[in-house]
Amino acid sequence: MSQALDIAVVGATGSVGEALVQILEELQFPVATLHLLASMESAGSSVMFAGKKVRVREVDSFDFAQVKLAFFAAGAAVSRTFASKAREAGCSVIDLSGGLEEALSIVPEANPEALDGLKLPVVVSSPSSGAIALAVALAPLRGVLDIERIQVMACLAVSSQGREAVNELARQTAELLNARPLEPRFFDRQVAFNLLAQVGATDEQGHGTLERRLVSESRVLLGLPELKISVSCVQVPVFFGDSFSVSVQSRTPVDVQAVKLALDGAASVERVENDDYPTPVGDAVGQDVVYVGRVRQGIDADHQLDLWLTTDNVRKGAALNAVQLAQLLIKKMA
Amino acid sequence: MSQALDIAVVGATGSVGEALVQILEELQFPVATLHLLASMESAGSSVMFAGKKVRVREVDSFDFAQVKLAFFAAGAAVSRTFASKAREAGCSVIDLSGGLEEALSIVPEANPEALDGLKLPVVVSSPSSGAIALAVALAPLRGVLDIERIQVMACLAVSSQGREAVNELARQTAELLNARPLEPRFFDRQVAFNLLAQVGATDEQGHGTLERRLVSESRVLLGLPELKISVSCVQVPVFFGDSFSVSVQSRTPVDVQAVKLALDGAASVERVENDDYPTPVGDAVGQDVVYVGRVRQGIDADHQLDLWLTTDNVRKGAALNAVQLAQLLIKKMA
Ligand SMILES: NC(=O)c1ccc[n+]([C@@H]2O[C@H](COP(=O)([O-])OP(=O)(O)OC[C@H]3O[C@@H](n4cnc5c(N)ncnc54)[C@H](OP(=O)(O)O)[C@@H]3O)[C@@H](O)[C@H]2O)c1
Ligand SMILES: NC(=O)c1ccc[n+]([C@@H]2O[C@H](COP(=O)([O-])OP(=O)(O)OC[C@H]3O[C@@H](n4cnc5c(N)ncnc54)[C@H](OP(=O)(O)O)[C@@H]3O)[C@@H](O)[C@H]2O)c1
């Protein structure tokens, strides 16, 4: 058992922050003192941890020299402002915001060795939920496929945009069912019973920030820097659970049986046979694995593997990966 | 103006049947007598057409010798039972069910010439909504792309499964919002706020009937019998409007500007610039076009074109295409 650590969670009142606190408790992570941080707005509120109320404080006035490890789950701007200060104060940072481009992305099931070369204190990135799902499902397939190109359609739950987006889907749905006029707030249009084919802003070439991020993170996590990968993100009217329709082009014909065996032997993967299929609600949400289903060759494309992935974006796709990463880090600290 | 025709609509009380009747009226299709047919269940009910109530009758006792043209929108089984009888009685059939595999698929914007060789009475197929959307959007691109492979993720509205599925999404949503226990009926599980990664049964290889159908129809419509195309269908919690995330591999680099120009000049296409994107609700539903947005090269893939399509599955994706097809047919009858 490792020595207990003083830890901070930045963004403790958010969806991911709440899941972080819960998972630290569930996994009996060796916490000495837990510091919960957020903005001025929720400073003063409190959150339960290990049977005790912990008061939430403002991140602005927090001294990161008090902790050895901090999770950052409060958006890219907060990470950009405080992560390097924390590190300078001797605190390792696990960033969940995607805002620190220089931070190395790590998914313990895919590239745990990436930690080997790093010196404490480190700043590492727990990547986007899509990159985590792809890494968990595809890393174990590198032995049975010669991956040339990946095509991903990411169907993102509203919770991937935080608490406010969750409230907005609920509010819009209730308004529509009660035939009241719809007033979009968080989203710029109706998201209930609709699909929004773009998530966030796009660049000159028409690609979204998150789409680009998924591409670069996947290359790092899979250890395939030259990998050709294209991603399209769609906002779907689902509260929790991100899903991914994935096609992998292999340089050699796909042996579906070998793929299934590799998935069945993989950590954090739950494979569903083709007489059924996994869904975000009912399967993925609340679970600690990436569900994989509809494993098949492309139609008339024996060099193509088609898959459907679904995972809890707040747990496995964020908080749990960060805590697993912290477990690797504390081994280095021991 | 063509001579008015006696016409039958089989499945007149369904989502597609209702849209057929409405579009025949909107487009002032030259109808002499309109016969509305359905099952025993709705026989006796009536539907408005051109300001008059038309009584719905049972298809089983209908004599197709009374009409020159019949639309079949009552499922594959009904088409299989009655379409060849109708034709033997001298009636041309436009089938919307996909149940008549030998019937040639036609989308007027893509392969109108397919009618040229046929002798009246004909049995032709108005293909699936996905095949129509792909044909309308991609046929005009054959001049600017050398299409090698297409990858499609089809996000299907519940209305693509008929009236009952629409009622089921509404009922499930209301139950969930009111925190009542969910009892799935039409679907075998929760479809509200969820994604179902499979639509209908799958074969030994794991492909769904509709996925296979989209592949074979697209090859015919685009006149590319050797086209490599893979399709994944997902049932989304959207009432109306099917959407498609499409990636096209070209043998030559993609000229996005030329693609945009070709789309802007194409019939039945409405292109949305990349500072915006089209949605099923708000854009497609109730409209007579296929919306195309997010036109871009793949990320680091200059031979790949990525697109987002959305269209009203009941109108453009079914009833309107069938009526446009009927307009071509009556020219042959004249
Ligand atoms: N949701 C996901 O699926 C997911 C997955 C992977 C990564 N992430 C990342 O995780 C982070 C949190 O996401 P979320 O979904 O939990 O969002 P959220 O529910 O909106 O919560 C945001 C959290 O950040 C805090 N915060 C916002 N602005 C702040 C500021 N200026 N100073 C200090 N704290 C501030 C909020 O505190 P207050 O209560 O004081 O407002 C709250 O605790 C984001 O960076 C997101 O990109 C999310
Ligand atoms: N919905 C779409 O987006 C879409 C798109 C393309 C093609 N299609 C095809 O169009 C057809 C109709 O779809 P829909 O969405 O309109 O379905 P729907 O709303 O469920 O309507 C079904 C229609 O078929 C009739 N019907 C069912 N069983 C019958 C029987 N044994 N004999 C006579 N009539 C019968 C029903 O009549 P009752 O009122 O008597 O039950 C009703 O009029 C299907 O073949 C479907 O595959 C649908």
Side-chain angles (χ1 to χ4, degrees):
Chain A
M1 175 83 193
S2 319
Q3 217 191 312
L5 281 189
D6 293 333
I7 289 179
V9 174
V10 187
T13 53
S15 311
V16 173
E18 275 183 15
L20 276 168
V21 172
Q22 199 180 326
I23 292 171
L24 287 172
E25 180 171 338
E26 280 173 26
L27 299 187
Q28 300 188 302
F29 194 88
V31 181
T33 304
L34 185 65
H35 298 268
L36 301 183
L37 306 167
S39 81
M40 217 168 56
E41 270 191 49
S42 6
S45 68
S46 58
V47 169
M48 293 300 293
F49 175 69
K52 283 189 197 130
K53 270 193 187 174
V54 181
R55 180 70 53 109
V56 175
R57 284 179 293 157
E58 222 179 308
V59 66
D60 298 64
S61 50
F62 184 71
D63 176 8
F64 282 94
Q66 295 179 65
V67 293
K68 281 269 160 278
L69 178 65
F71 297 95
F72 274 78
V78 173
S79 295
R80 288 196 192 112
T81 310
F82 295 101
S84 55
K85 287 182 193 164
R87 189 188 175 178
E88 281 157 25
C91 164
S92 285
V93 168
I94 298 178
D95 180 48
L96 293 97
S97 78
L100 308 177
E101 267 137 44
E102 66 292 358
L104 196 64
S105 293
I106 304 180
V107 169
E109 292 88 344
N111 65 337
E113 72 285 355
L115 270 181
D116 294 347
L118 302 178
K119 277 229 180 74
L120 293 174
V122 295
V123 177
V124 290
S125 168
S126 177
S128 63
S129 137
I132 293 174
L134 285 173
V136 167
L138 299 185
L141 300 184
R142 286 172 300 185
V144 295
L145 295 177
D146 186 0
I147 301 177
E148 185 181 8
R149 171 192 290 280
I150 302 178
Q151 184 75 38
V152 181
M153 156 128 176
C155 301
L156 304 178
V158 288
S159 57
S160 67
Q161 306 225 37
R163 291 167 310 188
E164 277 183 64
V166 170
N167 296 340
E168 169 91 349
L169 174 58
R171 192 184 55 77
Q172 282 194 11
T173 306
E175 280 178 357
L176 289 167
L177 282 197
N178 293 306
R180 283 199 300 263
L182 189 80
E183 285 172 27
R185 283 177 217 159
F186 181 88
F187 296 101
D188 68 349
R189 56 191 95 185
Q190 179 175 332
V191 67
F193 308 117
N194 205 7
L195 301 179
L196 310 187
Q198 187 183 307
V199 178
T202 56
D203 59 21
E204 284 265 294
Q205 287 76 44
H207 303 295
T209 314
L210 187 58
E211 290 165 348
R212 292 261 187 211
R213 189 179 156 202
L214 234 153
V215 166
S216 54
E217 289 174 342
S218 297
R219 287 181 181 145
V220 170
L221 297 173
L222 294 172
L224 299 171
E226 305 293 320
L227 178 66
K228 289 183 188 139
I229 161 166
S230 273
V231 179
S232 296
C233 289
V234 178
Q235 181 69 70
V236 296
V238 165
F239 286 108
F240 292 95
D242 286 350
S243 305
F244 308 90
S245 182
V246 181
S247 294
V248 183
Q249 302 292 336
S250 175
R251 291 187 191 83
T252 50
V254 173
D255 177 345
V256 173
Q257 220 36 54
V259 166
K260 289 182 175 175
L261 275 176
L263 289 169
D264 290 342
S268 307
V269 168
E270 178 80 29
R271 185 174 69 81
V272 176
E273 265 300 352
N274 276 351
D275 49 4
D276 195 6
Y277 56 89
T279 51
V281 179
D283 292 309
V285 174
Q287 300 301 313
D288 293 346
V289 295
V290 175
Y291 278 84
V292 183
R294 300 218 60 200
V295 180
R296 64 204 195 277
Q297 282 187 345
I299 294 179
D300 294 327
D302 64 359
H303 284 52
Q304 178 173 318
L305 175 72
D306 286 349
L307 299 170
W308 172 257
L309 313 180
T310 180
T311 197
D312 186 324
N313 52 304
V314 172
R315 281 184 71 95
K316 185 64 189 168
L320 177 59
N321 187 70
V323 176
Q324 288 176 276
L325 192 40
Q327 288 174 324
L328 294 183
L329 265 187
I330 55 173
K331 284 199 194 135
K332 275 181 92 81
M333 289 178 184
Chain B
M1 173 89 193
S2 320
Q3 218 193 312
L5 282 188
D6 294 332
I7 288 180
V9 174
V10 186
T13 53
S15 311
V16 174
E18 276 182 16
L20 275 167
V21 172
Q22 199 180 325
I23 291 170
L24 288 171
E25 181 171 336
E26 279 173 25
L27 299 187
Q28 300 190 300
F29 195 88
V31 181
T33 304
L34 184 65
H35 298 268
L36 301 184
L37 307 168
S39 80
M40 218 168 53
E41 270 188 49
S42 5
S45 67
S46 57
V47 169
M48 293 300 291
F49 175 70
K52 283 189 198 133
K53 268 193 187 174
V54 182
R55 180 69 55 110
V56 176
R57 285 178 294 156
E58 220 180 308
V59 66
D60 299 64
S61 50
F62 183 71
D63 177 7
F64 282 92
Q66 294 178 68
V67 292
K68 280 271 163 273
L69 178 64
F71 296 96
F72 274 77
V78 172
S79 294
R80 288 195 192 112
T81 310
F82 296 102
S84 55
K85 286 182 192 163
R87 187 186 177 183
E88 281 158 25
C91 164
S92 286
V93 168
I94 297 178
D95 180 47
L96 292 97
S97 77
L100 309 176
E101 267 138 46
E102 66 292 0
L104 196 63
S105 292
I106 303 179
V107 168
E109 291 89 343
N111 66 338
E113 71 286 354
L115 270 181
D116 293 347
L118 302 177
K119 278 232 182 70
L120 295 172
V122 296
V123 177
V124 290
S125 168
S126 177
S128 61
S129 138
I132 292 172
L134 285 174
V136 167
L138 299 185
L141 299 183
R142 287 173 299 185
V144 295
L145 296 177
D146 186 1
I147 301 177
E148 186 181 7
R149 171 195 289 282
I150 302 177
Q151 184 77 35
V152 181
M153 157 127 174
C155 302
L156 304 178
V158 289
S159 57
S160 67
Q161 305 227 36
R163 291 169 311 189
E164 278 184 62
V166 171
N167 296 339
E168 170 91 350
L169 175 58
R171 193 183 55 77
Q172 283 194 10
T173 305
E175 280 179 357
L176 289 167
L177 282 196
N178 292 305
R180 284 198 301 263
L182 189 82
E183 286 173 23
R185 283 178 217 157
F186 182 88
F187 296 101
D188 68 351
R189 58 191 94 185
Q190 179 175 333
V191 68
F193 308 116
N194 205 8
L195 301 179
L196 310 186
Q198 186 183 308
V199 178
T202 57
D203 59 21
E204 283 265 295
Q205 286 75 43
H207 303 296
T209 314
L210 186 58
E211 289 165 347
R212 291 257 188 217
R213 192 180 153 201
L214 235 153
V215 166
S216 56
E217 288 174 343
S218 297
R219 286 180 182 147
V220 169
L221 296 173
L222 293 172
L224 299 171
E226 306 293 319
L227 178 66
K228 288 181 190 145
I229 161 167
S230 273
V231 179
S232 296
C233 289
V234 178
Q235 180 69 70
V236 296
V238 165
F239 286 109
F240 292 95
D242 286 350
S243 304
F244 308 89
S245 181
V246 182
S247 293
V248 182
Q249 302 292 336
S250 175
R251 291 188 192 83
T252 50
V254 173
D255 177 345
V256 172
Q257 222 34 54
V259 166
K260 289 182 177 176
L261 275 177
L263 288 169
D264 291 341
S268 306
V269 168
E270 178 80 29
R271 186 173 69 81
V272 176
E273 264 302 351
N274 276 353
D275 49 4
D276 195 7
Y277 55 88
T279 51
V281 179
D283 292 309
V285 173
Q287 300 302 313
D288 293 345
V289 294
V290 175
Y291 278 84
V292 182
R294 299 218 62 198
V295 179
R296 64 203 194 278
Q297 282 187 345
I299 294 179
D300 292 327
D302 65 358
H303 284 54
Q304 178 173 317
L305 176 71
D306 287 349
L307 300 169
W308 171 257
L309 314 179
T310 181
T311 195
D312 186 324
N313 53 303
V314 171
R315 281 184 71 95
K316 186 63 190 168
L320 177 60
N321 187 69
V323 175
Q324 288 176 278
L325 192 39
Q327 287 174 324
L328 294 184
L329 266 186
I330 56 173
K331 283 198 193 137
K332 276 181 90 86
M333 290 177 182

